Amino acid sequence: MTAELVVEIECRQRRMHGESLCGDTFRSQKIPEQGRILSVLSDGLGKGVKASILSTMTASMALRLVASDCEIIRSAETIMDALPTCQVRRIGYATFTIVDNRQKTGIRIIEMDNPPFVLIRNGEAAEVESRTIASRSRQDRVMRISTLEACPGDRLVILTDGITQAGLGTEPLKGGWRRDGCQRFIADQVQRNPSLSAGSLAQRILNEALRQEPGGRAQDDMTAAVFSFRRPRPLLVLSGPPFARERDGEFAHILDSFNGRKAICGGTTAEIVARELGREITTDLETCAMEVPPSARMDGVDLVTEGILTLTRVAHLLEQQLPPARSDAAAHLLDLLRKSDTIDFVVGTRINEAHQDPTHPVDLEIRRSIIKRISKVLEETHLKDVRIRYI
């Protein structure tokens, strides 16, 4: 992947019908200092709790070993030796797919017994050359290694066999949906909508796999993870007035000159920008809600919201991984953050005395603390590039 591209990563899963836990595990880890994102998809032997334990252990160990650049054969053998043994089959086993995505050297994909990945380029399925290597101590453990350089618009899709074997044994699909069927479906979806997000594509793959199953009930754990490569989508968030009032003009110019989407969080902040740029603020009463004040409109700005209450609500939704309950100002800000790749917070440091009132709720934190909370989740969970600048 070139330095000019970013990757959006989303995963959708469905546990086997009748089970309380999914036996597939998908995890990602960002290593900013190396310009690197690691992702692992593992499918544990069996079903339910046992499979979940095996896949979770495998994914965790794979992330740690690959991050340390441990030799891949040795890493695989370490994982296999560490897994608990199934009392029935007398083996400890989980499949895995590792995607090692480096900005400077491209992408390396390591697969062991998961269905081969799917690459869609320019709306068409593209095949990538691979090589196989076998474990020295476990000859039945063979890994397939592929390398590629991502291009804008590429979709890389990794799957567990619950997806490719959907419909297995049914009259129309005696051999299951198979990788070829998945590949045709994915290519068709991207052709129909070239801007389709990673999350939407992953959900459509899962839905289509379930459609193949009798009664729409998953006969195995199902996982589809999508990597979507594109040019970065930048977002600027201004919040809080500058410490020195003589910097109000500079503050407004930062927003006016930014090349990307823009949001203002804070009534005083919006008034400063409106005054300095000669623009009007119009309240959007359709976004009224109990938890947060309504948003507003301003020319040249994608979203204007109240400050502390709205930011606190967004931090809560992100930390708890909750979907917004209604279409209010916090939901709109959350959507902007999730749909952006690089996020710049410019935070004013002038204290707003109204928010130091001891009668306010404990969760009503000062602006800088809330934005740090939001940034932490965006970086660690959503793999965003986030910068905070104080003024």
Side-chain angles (χ1 to χ4, degrees):
M1 184 180 69
T2 63
E4 292 77 23
L5 293 184
V6 296
V7 59
E8 175 189 5
I9 305 172
E10 291 286 349
C11 174
R12 297 293 183 269
Q13 293 183 308
R14 177 66 61 90
R15 63 180 180 268
M16 183 178 177
H17 178 69
E19 295 296 331
S20 59
L21 290 176
C22 183
D24 299 342
T25 298
F26 179 77
R27 290 189 176 175
S28 291
Q29 176 184 346
K30 189 172 186 177
I31 310 176
E33 61 274 15
Q34 297 179 15
R36 190 179 182 193
I37 298 176
L38 296 173
S39 300
V40 179
L41 172 59
S42 179
D43 180 355
L45 177 71
K47 59 185 180 180
V49 174
K50 179 179 70 175
S52 178
I53 291 171
L54 291 170
S55 66
T56 300
M57 287 182 64
T58 299
S60 299
M61 286 189 289
L63 278 178
R64 186 168 61 252
L65 291 167
V66 175
S68 65
D69 288 321
C70 184
E71 195 262 330
I72 187 59
I73 287 291
R74 193 166 131 203
S75 296
E77 290 172 344
T78 299
I79 292 169
M80 292 302 116
D81 290 341
L83 293 180
T85 301
C86 172
Q87 294 182 354
V88 177
R89 304 188 193 183
R90 300 299 177 187
I91 57 173
Y93 185 68
T95 69
F96 60 77
T97 299
I98 301 169
V99 180
D100 187 355
N101 183 358
R102 304 188 189 215
Q103 286 186 335
K104 294 183 179 180
T105 58
I107 302 166
R108 183 174 65 151
I109 304 164
I110 304 154
E111 302 169 289
M112 191 182 77
D113 289 353
N114 271 341
F117 68 87
V118 173
L119 176 66
I120 304 298
R121 178 167 291 172
N122 299 322
E124 302 287 343
E127 297 299 329
V128 179
E129 289 188 7
S130 62
R131 61 186 177 93
T132 58
I133 55 175
S135 165
R136 291 176 289 271
S137 62
R138 297 170 179 257
Q139 293 300 313
D140 60 331
R141 301 293 189 261
V142 177
M143 282 163 286
R144 184 173 55 251
I145 300 179
S146 311
T147 58
L148 63 95
E149 192 75 25
C151 297
D154 279 0
R155 303 314 200 282
L156 175 66
V157 183
I158 59 176
L159 311 160
T160 55
D161 59 10
I163 298 285
T164 56
Q165 294 179 7
L168 184 67
T170 61
E171 187 58 37
L173 293 171
K174 289 190 179 298
W177 195 19
R178 307 180 72 89
R179 178 179 179 269
D180 289 346
C182 299
Q183 187 170 253
R184 286 192 298 271
F185 175 80
I186 297 166
D188 179 68
Q189 294 300 305
V190 176
Q191 287 171 9
R192 290 171 182 266
N193 184 0
S195 62
L196 190 63
S197 71
S200 295
L201 180 55
Q203 188 63 55
R204 292 185 187 191
I205 296 168
L206 180 61
N207 291 345
E208 186 65 14
L210 287 167
R211 198 176 69 82
Q212 316 301 327
E213 298 278 46
R217 294 177 173 179
Q219 302 304 302
D220 192 3
D221 299 306
M222 294 180 168
T223 302
V226 176
F227 301 72
S228 179
F229 298 88
R230 61 164 182 266
R231 303 293 181 191
R233 297 185 299 199
L235 170 68
L236 173 70
V237 181
L238 250 62
S239 187
F243 181 79
R245 286 178 171 79
E246 56 267 24
R247 299 189 69 180
D248 286 357
E250 174 192 347
F251 192 58
H253 177 72
I254 290 172
L255 178 133
D256 196 36
S257 61
F258 185 77
N259 185 22
R261 287 178 288 191
K262 309 167 189 179
I264 299 174
C265 299
T268 303
T269 311
E271 289 172 3
I272 290 172
V273 173
R275 184 190 70 232
E276 295 294 327
L277 300 180
R279 298 177 186 173
E280 293 185 355
I281 304 172
T282 305
T283 302
D284 184 359
L285 296 178
E286 293 183 0
T287 60
C288 281
M290 292 292 293
E291 291 88 354
V292 295
S295 61
R297 301 188 185 95
M298 181 191 298
D299 287 345
V301 180
D302 295 272
L303 180 67
V304 179
T305 75
E306 176 274 342
I308 298 296
L309 289 170
T310 305
L311 289 168
T312 301
R313 178 64 180 163
V314 168
H316 174 73
L317 292 172
L318 282 169
E319 289 168 344
Q320 301 301 317
Q321 300 184 39
L322 297 171
R326 56 190 58 83
S327 182
D328 57 16
H332 294 163
L333 179 56
L334 181 62
D335 187 57
L336 263 183
L337 292 168
R338 284 178 169 167
K339 288 182 177 178
S340 301
D341 305 301
T342 60
I343 301 164
D344 286 277
F345 286 98
V346 178
V347 184
T349 55
R350 191 187 311 166
I351 294 175
N352 187 338
E353 289 80 5
H355 296 145
Q356 307 304 310
D357 187 338
T359 64
H360 278 251
V362 173
D363 195 45
L364 202 58
E365 301 177 35
I366 61 173
R367 193 180 313 268
R368 283 177 290 185
S369 177
I370 299 169
I371 288 175
K372 284 180 180 178
R373 287 169 55 195
I374 292 173
S375 299
K376 179 179 172 64
V377 181
L378 290 174
E379 289 179 323
E380 295 181 359
T381 303
H382 298 276
L383 308 177
K384 308 292 186 182
D385 290 327
V386 183
R387 294 180 292 269
I388 302 176
R389 174 185 172 189
Y390 298 102
I391 184 171

